[in-house]
Amino acid sequence: MKNTDLPLIAIEPFVRECLGCECPAQVSEVVENEIRELPDIRYQRLLAGGRLLVYLLSDADSERLPERLDRLQRTGIAERDAAGCNRLRIVVPGRPGANLRRLLSARFAQNAPGDEKVHLHFVPRETLELYLGDAPRPWPVL
């Protein structure tokens, strides 16, 4: 496992406070936490209690973000389903403009119609800063 962007101690508060997860406390007792890469996509993968899968995108380059998010969503849904997880939450760091945010949200919904177990979150960089502690700041500006 590689070093991660979000420190282990910050994962439970981040998932609960930032993403609004109301999973039972025992879900956070065992967390897999690693950095993964797909072609042109780097993300932090969190698997809490074998039930909650979170992909935290590290590179949110707005020019290629729609295509990257599509690939990440397909990958996450496949992993969620294969592992029998309850939820997949994909986190995009930063504040995309209103048009980009609408485009991403629409594509996200279109890629998984009726799937209520996959969620897209936009988390401002300054909010992520609160959870990073002394970890490096890889979050781009959107």
Side-chain angles (χ1 to χ4, degrees):
M1 236 180 252
K2 299 178 184 178
N3 289 336
T4 58
D5 295 332
L6 193 63
L8 189 59
I9 194 166
I11 292 172
E12 182 179 5
F14 172 75
V15 168
R16 290 193 181 282
E17 298 164 8
C18 221
L19 305 183
C21 179
E22 297 177 359
C23 296
Q26 64 266 28
V27 169
S28 299
E29 290 175 3
V30 177
V31 178
E32 294 178 25
N33 178 16
E34 64 185 312
I35 298 300
R36 289 194 175 174
E37 293 186 16
L38 295 170
D40 296 327
I41 304 172
R42 182 177 181 273
Y43 63 100
Q44 184 173 4
R45 174 193 173 269
L46 308 171
L47 178 59
R51 296 173 55 180
L52 173 64
L53 182 61
V54 177
Y55 285 178
L56 178 55
L57 191 61
S58 293
D59 178 10
D61 172 17
S62 61
E63 184 176 311
R64 296 186 300 173
L65 187 54
E67 293 78 21
R68 288 177 172 173
L69 188 58
D70 288 350
R71 283 188 288 146
L72 194 61
Q73 184 181 12
R74 285 192 302 273
T75 299
I77 289 172
E79 181 179 0
R80 178 203 65 191
D81 293 347
C85 296
N86 290 349
R87 295 266 184 269
L88 167 65
R89 296 179 182 269
I90 297 180
V91 180
V92 176
R95 293 181 188 269
N99 289 339
L100 179 57
R101 188 179 177 123
R102 275 193 298 275
L103 171 70
L104 295 174
S105 296
R107 285 177 73 145
F108 198 84
Q110 183 180 22
N111 291 339
D115 188 342
E116 296 179 9
K117 294 184 175 193
V118 61
H119 307 277
L120 177 61
H121 299 270
F122 299 97
V123 179
R125 233 173 46 142
E126 52 274 13
T127 301
L128 286 169
E129 294 278 337
L130 299 173
Y131 298 95
L132 284 171
D134 293 329
R137 274 40 176 181
W139 315 114
V141 176
L142 284 181

